[in-house]
PDB file of all heavy atoms in Angstrom:
ATOM      1  N   VAL A 322      69.147  91.513  45.686  1.00 98.00           N
ATOM      2  CA  VAL A 322      68.238  90.439  46.083  1.00 98.00           C
ATOM      3  C   VAL A 322      67.267  90.241  44.928  1.00 98.00           C
ATOM      4  O   VAL A 322      66.662  91.200  44.442  1.00 98.00           O
ATOM      5  CB  VAL A 322      67.468  90.817  47.368  1.00 98.00           C
ATOM      6  CG1 VAL A 322      66.435  89.757  47.703  1.00 98.00           C
ATOM      7  CG2 VAL A 322      68.438  90.992  48.527  1.00 98.00           C
ATOM      8  N   ILE A 323      67.142  89.005  44.477  1.00 98.00           N
ATOM      9  CA  ILE A 323      66.317  88.716  43.305  1.00 98.00           C
ATOM     10  C   ILE A 323      65.037  88.018  43.743  1.00 98.00           C
ATOM     11  O   ILE A 323      65.079  86.967  44.398  1.00 98.00           O
ATOM     12  CB  ILE A 323      67.100  87.844  42.302  1.00 98.00           C
ATOM     13  CG1 ILE A 323      68.396  88.567  41.929  1.00 98.00           C
ATOM     14  CG2 ILE A 323      66.253  87.560  41.069  1.00 98.00           C
ATOM     15  CD1 ILE A 323      69.328  87.760  41.067  1.00 98.00           C
ATOM     16  N   CYS A 324      63.914  88.605  43.381  1.00 98.00           N
ATOM     17  CA  CYS A 324      62.620  88.046  43.762  1.00 98.00           C
ATOM     18  C   CYS A 324      62.463  86.638  43.178  1.00 98.00           C
ATOM     19  O   CYS A 324      62.724  86.419  41.990  1.00 98.00           O
ATOM     20  CB  CYS A 324      61.488  88.951  43.268  1.00 98.00           C
ATOM     21  SG  CYS A 324      59.859  88.303  43.678  1.00 98.00           S
ATOM     22  N   PRO A 325      62.019  85.693  44.009  1.00 98.00           N
ATOM     23  CA  PRO A 325      61.899  84.309  43.529  1.00 98.00           C
ATOM     24  C   PRO A 325      60.751  84.106  42.540  1.00 98.00           C
ATOM     25  O   PRO A 325      60.705  83.084  41.854  1.00 98.00           O
ATOM     26  CB  PRO A 325      61.657  83.513  44.816  1.00 98.00           C
ATOM     27  CG  PRO A 325      61.020  84.485  45.755  1.00 98.00           C
ATOM     28  CD  PRO A 325      61.637  85.820  45.425  1.00 98.00           C
ATOM     29  N   TRP A 326      59.815  85.060  42.453  1.00 98.00           N
ATOM     30  CA  TRP A 326      58.653  84.819  41.599  1.00 98.00           C
ATOM     31  C   TRP A 326      58.898  85.166  40.139  1.00 98.00           C
ATOM     32  O   TRP A 326      58.674  84.352  39.252  1.00 98.00           O
ATOM     33  CB  TRP A 326      57.431  85.563  42.149  1.00 98.00           C
ATOM     34  CG  TRP A 326      56.855  84.890  43.366  1.00 98.00           C
ATOM     35  CD1 TRP A 326      57.370  83.800  44.024  1.00 98.00           C
ATOM     36  CD2 TRP A 326      55.667  85.256  44.071  1.00 98.00           C
ATOM     37  NE1 TRP A 326      56.586  83.484  45.094  1.00 98.00           N
ATOM     38  CE2 TRP A 326      55.522  84.351  45.148  1.00 98.00           C
ATOM     39  CE3 TRP A 326      54.724  86.269  43.904  1.00 98.00           C
ATOM     40  CZ2 TRP A 326      54.455  84.429  46.044  1.00 98.00           C
ATOM     41  CZ3 TRP A 326      53.667  86.357  44.787  1.00 98.00           C
ATOM     42  CH2 TRP A 326      53.531  85.425  45.850  1.00 98.00           C
ATOM     43  N   HIS A 327      59.346  86.400  39.839  1.00 98.00           N
ATOM     44  CA  HIS A 327      59.544  86.775  38.436  1.00 98.00           C
ATOM     45  C   HIS A 327      60.861  87.498  38.198  1.00 98.00           C
ATOM     46  O   HIS A 327      61.057  88.093  37.143  1.00 98.00           O
ATOM     47  CB  HIS A 327      58.404  87.654  37.919  1.00 98.00           C
ATOM     48  CG  HIS A 327      57.033  87.223  38.348  1.00 98.00           C
ATOM     49  ND1 HIS A 327      56.397  87.754  39.445  1.00 98.00           N
ATOM     50  CD2 HIS A 327      56.216  86.269  37.857  1.00 98.00           C
ATOM     51  CE1 HIS A 327      55.215  87.155  39.598  1.00 98.00           C
ATOM     52  NE2 HIS A 327      55.088  86.252  38.658  1.00 98.00           N
ATOM     53  N   GLY A 328      61.731  87.502  39.196  1.00 98.00           N
ATOM     54  CA  GLY A 328      63.092  87.960  38.940  1.00 98.00           C
ATOM     55  C   GLY A 328      63.373  89.446  39.055  1.00 98.00           C
ATOM     56  O   GLY A 328      64.439  89.893  38.628  1.00 98.00           O
ATOM     57  N   TRP A 329      62.456  90.231  39.608  1.00 98.00           N
ATOM     58  CA  TRP A 329      62.816  91.636  39.835  1.00 98.00           C
ATOM     59  C   TRP A 329      64.003  91.657  40.783  1.00 98.00           C
ATOM     60  O   TRP A 329      64.060  90.880  41.747  1.00 98.00           O
ATOM     61  CB  TRP A 329      61.656  92.420  40.452  1.00 98.00           C
ATOM     62  CG  TRP A 329      60.616  92.863  39.467  1.00 98.00           C
ATOM     63  CD1 TRP A 329      60.281  92.256  38.294  1.00 98.00           C
ATOM     64  CD2 TRP A 329      59.763  94.003  39.598  1.00 98.00           C
ATOM     65  NE1 TRP A 329      59.265  92.950  37.680  1.00 98.00           N
ATOM     66  CE2 TRP A 329      58.928  94.020  38.464  1.00 98.00           C
ATOM     67  CE3 TRP A 329      59.612  95.003  40.563  1.00 98.00           C
ATOM     68  CZ2 TRP A 329      57.963  95.010  38.259  1.00 98.00           C
ATOM     69  CZ3 TRP A 329      58.652  95.990  40.375  1.00 98.00           C
ATOM     70  CH2 TRP A 329      57.832  96.000  39.219  1.00 98.00           C
ATOM     71  N   GLU A 330      64.947  92.592  40.508  1.00 98.00           N
ATOM     72  CA  GLU A 330      66.169  92.672  41.313  1.00 98.00           C
ATOM     73  C   GLU A 330      66.170  93.973  42.110  1.00 98.00           C
ATOM     74  O   GLU A 330      65.880  95.036  41.569  1.00 98.00           O
ATOM     75  CB  GLU A 330      67.395  92.673  40.398  1.00 98.00           C
ATOM     76  CG  GLU A 330      67.513  91.428  39.558  1.00 98.00           C
ATOM     77  CD  GLU A 330      68.737  91.476  38.649  1.00 98.00           C
ATOM     78  OE1 GLU A 330      69.522  92.446  38.737  1.00 98.00           O
ATOM     79  OE2 GLU A 330      68.881  90.550  37.845  1.00 98.00           O
ATOM     80  N   TYR A 331      66.539  93.855  43.372  1.00 98.00           N
ATOM     81  CA  TYR A 331      66.602  95.030  44.249  1.00 98.00           C
ATOM     82  C   TYR A 331      67.998  95.187  44.825  1.00 98.00           C
ATOM     83  O   TYR A 331      68.584  94.211  45.305  1.00 98.00           O
ATOM     84  CB  TYR A 331      65.617  94.873  45.418  1.00 98.00           C
ATOM     85  CG  TYR A 331      64.170  94.838  44.987  1.00 98.00           C
ATOM     86  CD1 TYR A 331      63.563  93.621  44.663  1.00 98.00           C
ATOM     87  CD2 TYR A 331      63.431  95.999  44.883  1.00 98.00           C
ATOM     88  CE1 TYR A 331      62.239  93.581  44.263  1.00 98.00           C
ATOM     89  CE2 TYR A 331      62.100  95.968  44.476  1.00 98.00           C
ATOM     90  CZ  TYR A 331      61.509  94.760  44.172  1.00 98.00           C
ATOM     91  OH  TYR A 331      60.206  94.722  43.767  1.00 98.00           O
ATOM     92  N   ASP A 332      68.494  96.414  44.805  1.00 98.00           N
ATOM     93  CA  ASP A 332      69.761  96.710  45.472  1.00 98.00           C
ATOM     94  C   ASP A 332      69.554  96.505  46.975  1.00 98.00           C
ATOM     95  O   ASP A 332      68.675  97.120  47.584  1.00 98.00           O
ATOM     96  CB  ASP A 332      70.154  98.162  45.172  1.00 98.00           C
ATOM     97  CG  ASP A 332      71.516  98.493  45.745  1.00 98.00           C
ATOM     98  OD1 ASP A 332      71.684  98.443  46.988  1.00 98.00           O
ATOM     99  OD2 ASP A 332      72.401  98.803  44.956  1.00 98.00           O
ATOM    100  N   ALA A 333      70.368  95.644  47.570  1.00 98.00           N
ATOM    101  CA  ALA A 333      70.142  95.286  48.971  1.00 98.00           C
ATOM    102  C   ALA A 333      70.367  96.474  49.912  1.00 98.00           C
ATOM    103  O   ALA A 333      69.803  96.528  50.997  1.00 98.00           O
ATOM    104  CB  ALA A 333      71.054  94.125  49.361  1.00 98.00           C
ATOM    105  N   LYS A 334      71.198  97.414  49.489  1.00 97.00           N
ATOM    106  CA  LYS A 334      71.493  98.547  50.391  1.00 97.00           C
ATOM    107  C   LYS A 334      70.507  99.685  50.239  1.00 97.00           C
ATOM    108  O   LYS A 334      70.161 100.353  51.210  1.00 97.00           O
ATOM    109  CB  LYS A 334      72.906  99.046  50.131  1.00 97.00           C
ATOM    110  CG  LYS A 334      73.926  97.983  50.542  1.00 97.00           C
ATOM    111  CD  LYS A 334      75.313  98.561  50.729  1.00 97.00           C
ATOM    112  CE  LYS A 334      76.215  97.484  51.323  1.00 97.00           C
ATOM    113  NZ  LYS A 334      77.311  97.074  50.458  1.00 97.00           N
ATOM    114  N   THR A 335      70.028  99.938  49.004  1.00 97.00           N
ATOM    115  CA  THR A 335      69.145 101.088  48.788  1.00 97.00           C
ATOM    116  C   THR A 335      67.678 100.682  48.630  1.00 97.00           C
ATOM    117  O   THR A 335      66.785 101.512  48.752  1.00 97.00           O
ATOM    118  CB  THR A 335      69.547 101.853  47.521  1.00 97.00           C
ATOM    119  OG1 THR A 335      69.319 100.995  46.390  1.00 97.00           O
ATOM    120  CG2 THR A 335      71.004 102.266  47.559  1.00 97.00           C
ATOM    121  N   GLY A 336      67.425  99.418  48.294  1.00 98.00           N
ATOM    122  CA  GLY A 336      66.060  98.961  48.054  1.00 98.00           C
ATOM    123  C   GLY A 336      65.545  99.290  46.667  1.00 98.00           C
ATOM    124  O   GLY A 336      64.402  98.977  46.329  1.00 98.00           O
ATOM    125  N   GLU A 337      66.394  99.904  45.828  1.00 98.00           N
ATOM    126  CA  GLU A 337      65.937 100.302  44.486  1.00 98.00           C
ATOM    127  C   GLU A 337      65.883  99.097  43.545  1.00 98.00           C
ATOM    128  O   GLU A 337      66.800  98.282  43.520  1.00 98.00           O
ATOM    129  CB  GLU A 337      66.895 101.334  43.878  1.00 98.00           C
ATOM    130  CG  GLU A 337      66.798 102.687  44.522  1.00 98.00           C
ATOM    131  CD  GLU A 337      67.855 103.656  43.995  1.00 98.00           C
ATOM    132  OE1 GLU A 337      68.632 103.281  43.096  1.00 98.00           O
ATOM    133  OE2 GLU A 337      67.893 104.778  44.505  1.00 98.00           O
ATOM    134  N   ALA A 338      64.823  99.056  42.754  1.00 98.00           N
ATOM    135  CA  ALA A 338      64.720  98.024  41.732  1.00 98.00           C
ATOM    136  C   ALA A 338      65.670  98.379  40.593  1.00 98.00           C
ATOM    137  O   ALA A 338      65.764  99.542  40.194  1.00 98.00           O
ATOM    138  CB  ALA A 338      63.287  97.930  41.226  1.00 98.00           C
ATOM    139  N   SER A 339      66.368  97.378  40.060  1.00 96.00           N
ATOM    140  CA  SER A 339      67.388  97.637  39.034  1.00 96.00           C
ATOM    141  C   SER A 339      66.805  98.290  37.786  1.00 96.00           C
ATOM    142  O   SER A 339      67.421  99.160  37.187  1.00 96.00           O
ATOM    143  CB  SER A 339      68.057  96.331  38.614  1.00 96.00           C
ATOM    144  OG  SER A 339      68.718  95.774  39.698  1.00 96.00           O
ATOM    145  N   HIS A 340      65.631  97.867  37.384  1.00 95.00           N
ATOM    146  CA  HIS A 340      65.075  98.357  36.127  1.00 95.00           C
ATOM    147  C   HIS A 340      64.367  99.690  36.293  1.00 95.00           C
ATOM    148  O   HIS A 340      64.006 100.319  35.311  1.00 95.00           O
ATOM    149  CB  HIS A 340      64.107  97.323  35.550  1.00 95.00           C
ATOM    150  CG  HIS A 340      62.885  97.129  36.411  1.00 95.00           C
ATOM    151  ND1 HIS A 340      62.951  96.511  37.636  1.00 95.00           N
ATOM    152  CD2 HIS A 340      61.606  97.521  36.226  1.00 95.00           C
ATOM    153  CE1 HIS A 340      61.717  96.510  38.163  1.00 95.00           C
ATOM    154  NE2 HIS A 340      60.903  97.114  37.334  1.00 95.00           N
ATOM    155  N   ASN A 341      64.137 100.114  37.527  1.00 94.00           N
ATOM    156  CA  ASN A 341      63.398 101.349  37.767  1.00 94.00           C
ATOM    157  C   ASN A 341      63.662 101.849  39.184  1.00 94.00           C
ATOM    158  O   ASN A 341      62.999 101.435  40.125  1.00 94.00           O
ATOM    159  CB  ASN A 341      61.894 101.094  37.583  1.00 94.00           C
ATOM    160  CG  ASN A 341      61.077 102.336  37.861  1.00 94.00           C
ATOM    161  OD1 ASN A 341      61.623 103.426  38.083  1.00 94.00           O
ATOM    162  ND2 ASN A 341      59.763 102.185  37.873  1.00 94.00           N
ATOM    163  N   PRO A 342      64.656 102.747  39.342  1.00 88.00           N
ATOM    164  CA  PRO A 342      65.029 103.209  40.678  1.00 88.00           C
ATOM    165  C   PRO A 342      63.876 103.882  41.422  1.00 88.00           C
ATOM    166  O   PRO A 342      63.930 104.023  42.649  1.00 88.00           O
ATOM    167  CB  PRO A 342      66.157 104.202  40.412  1.00 88.00           C
ATOM    168  CG  PRO A 342      66.706 103.803  39.085  1.00 88.00           C
ATOM    169  CD  PRO A 342      65.527 103.268  38.298  1.00 88.00           C
ATOM    170  N   ALA A 343      62.841 104.297  40.704  1.00 92.00           N
ATOM    171  CA  ALA A 343      61.696 104.907  41.391  1.00 92.00           C
ATOM    172  C   ALA A 343      60.884 103.851  42.136  1.00 92.00           C
ATOM    173  O   ALA A 343      60.115 104.169  43.044  1.00 92.00           O
ATOM    174  CB  ALA A 343      60.808 105.643  40.386  1.00 92.00           C
ATOM    175  N   ALA A 344      61.046 102.599  41.728  1.00 95.00           N
ATOM    176  CA  ALA A 344      60.404 101.498  42.446  1.00 95.00           C
ATOM    177  C   ALA A 344      61.372 101.057  43.534  1.00 95.00           C
ATOM    178  O   ALA A 344      62.450 100.545  43.255  1.00 95.00           O
ATOM    179  CB  ALA A 344      60.092 100.350  41.493  1.00 95.00           C
ATOM    180  N   LYS A 345      60.987 101.293  44.751  1.00 97.00           N
ATOM    181  CA  LYS A 345      61.947 101.141  45.843  1.00 97.00           C
ATOM    182  C   LYS A 345      61.241 100.541  47.047  1.00 97.00           C
ATOM    183  O   LYS A 345      60.194 101.046  47.463  1.00 97.00           O
ATOM    184  CB  LYS A 345      62.434 102.555  46.178  1.00 97.00           C
ATOM    185  CG  LYS A 345      63.699 102.637  46.938  1.00 97.00           C
ATOM    186  CD  LYS A 345      64.165 104.110  46.935  1.00 97.00           C
ATOM    187  CE  LYS A 345      65.446 104.214  47.687  1.00 97.00           C
ATOM    188  NZ  LYS A 345      65.521 104.980  48.828  1.00 97.00           N
TER     189      LYS A 345
END
Side-chain angles (χ1 to χ4, degrees):
V322 175
I323 303 174
C324 179
W326 285 5
H327 318 95
W329 279 28
E330 299 179 4
Y331 295 89
D332 185 297
K334 293 198 172 116
T335 66
E337 288 174 2
S339 297
H340 66 290
N341 178 6
K345 199 169 180 242

